[in-house]
Amino acid sequence: MLQKLTFICVLLLTTVSFSQQTEFKAPSYAAIEKNVQDTSSKFYYPELLKKLKTGSNSLSTSEYEHLYFGYVFQPTYKPYGIFSKDKELQVYYQKDPDMEDIPALKILLQEALDEFPFDFTAMMFLSYIYHLEGDEEKSALLSKHFEGFAIAIRNSGDGLTCETAMHVISVSHEYHMLQLFDIESIGQSFDGTCDLLQLDQEQYTIPGLYFNVSQIQKKNLTLIKSN
């Protein structure tokens, strides 16, 4: 089933506007932290998360940005966390879904998103499952949410240097972005602030794409110190 990930990403390329000129701007984490913790703010995190989970299709670009980057300030954020039923879910990921698998698979995918709302693999496959069932409204909504978060990452930097890197809150998101760009990495390195996903110099004119993982490192250090 995981082989369908690339196919789904290609479908999403028709909606994610990466070809348009973008004004890149790194997230202001101080401002985002203040906004998501302010009960009077339209970006107050519990209310934003409620809109996401209750199926709102009216989230703005700023709301997607605050949802995504604001998650690093939530107590549930575990940058290297693994879904509690990951082994069970991987069984389904390794095969094409039968219709008889769908009820159990839907439950597992939703549970994965409940634990980590930015599990892009679970989000895309749940969208695909809804499509198989003929529920195009729910399928399109999940695709829209994925698009909103992907654009938030894309707008955070051009990825050409560490100083202008795209910001991510999960290492797995780096590879999702490469799939959306239809790019394959041949290696990875880390300089303490950024991951560099290296590209084949015979195919590309740049050495690779940079992803800022400073918030991942910061949170992980906090978790280590608290244990």
Side-chain angles (χ1 to χ4, degrees):
M1 186 177 175
L2 280 176
Q3 294 177 348
K4 288 190 166 52
L5 180 60
T6 301
F7 170 72
I8 296 169
C9 282
V10 170
L11 289 180
L12 287 169
L13 277 171
T14 62
T15 60
V16 182
S17 304
F18 287 152
S19 60
Q20 298 179 1
Q21 188 170 358
T22 302
E23 182 179 348
F24 304 109
K25 185 178 180 181
S28 174
Y29 288 105
I32 290 173
E33 180 179 18
K34 179 180 178 181
N35 288 338
V36 299
Q37 293 177 351
D38 182 356
T39 57
S40 64
S41 169
K42 65 178 180 179
F43 300 120
Y44 181 51
Y45 206 85
E47 293 301 318
L48 276 184
L49 193 59
K50 183 186 298 184
K51 288 183 68 174
L52 177 69
K53 291 189 173 183
T54 55
S56 173
N57 63 0
S58 62
L59 291 166
S60 67
T61 299
S62 293
E63 286 175 320
Y64 279 118
E65 290 173 349
H66 277 77
L67 270 167
Y68 184 74
F69 297 115
Y71 192 66
V72 302
F73 304 110
Q74 306 310 304
T76 51
Y77 176 51
K78 297 178 181 178
Y80 295 107
I82 298 175
F83 175 42
S84 59
K85 298 180 181 179
D86 186 65
K87 290 184 178 179
E88 187 176 346
L89 186 55
Q90 289 299 323
V91 172
Y92 291 101
Y93 277 169
Q94 299 305 321
K95 64 176 184 175
D96 289 331
D98 297 322
M99 294 306 292
E100 63 184 22
D101 293 330
I102 286 180
L105 181 54
K106 282 173 62 179
I107 292 173
L108 281 173
L109 291 170
Q110 188 57 63
E111 288 179 349
L113 288 171
D114 287 340
E115 288 190 17
F116 181 44
F118 309 99
D119 184 333
F120 290 164
T121 300
M123 189 179 296
M124 286 188 291
F125 275 125
L126 186 54
S127 174
Y128 178 67
I129 293 300
Y130 281 131
H131 168 71
L132 290 180
E133 290 186 313
D135 193 337
E136 299 300 341
E137 183 176 354
K138 288 184 179 179
S139 177
L141 180 60
L142 285 172
S143 293
K144 181 180 179 183
H145 289 333
F146 176 80
E147 174 187 354
F149 298 131
I151 289 176
I153 296 170
R154 180 68 181 94
N155 290 348
S156 67
D158 60 20
L160 298 180
T161 68
C162 185
E163 291 73 21
T164 61
M166 286 177 276
H167 289 239
V168 292
I169 66 171
S170 171
V171 172
S172 65
H173 296 167
E174 301 172 6
Y175 296 92
H176 283 289
M177 296 305 292
L178 257 63
Q179 287 175 319
L180 284 172
F181 290 127
D182 195 22
I183 293 175
E184 184 175 352
S185 171
I186 61 170
Q188 185 263 357
S189 61
F190 174 61
D191 67 3
T193 300
C194 294
D195 283 337
L196 171 63
L197 296 191
Q198 299 156 352
L199 305 180
D200 187 341
Q201 293 301 280
E202 293 185 0
Q203 297 185 51
Y204 302 99
T205 58
I206 58 175
L209 286 175
Y210 288 86
F211 292 89
N212 186 301
V213 293
S214 58
Q215 294 300 313
I216 297 176
Q217 298 300 312
K218 181 179 179 180
K219 181 66 174 185
N220 193 51
L221 182 60
T222 299
L223 291 173
I224 292 173
K225 288 182 177 179
S226 65
N227 291 332

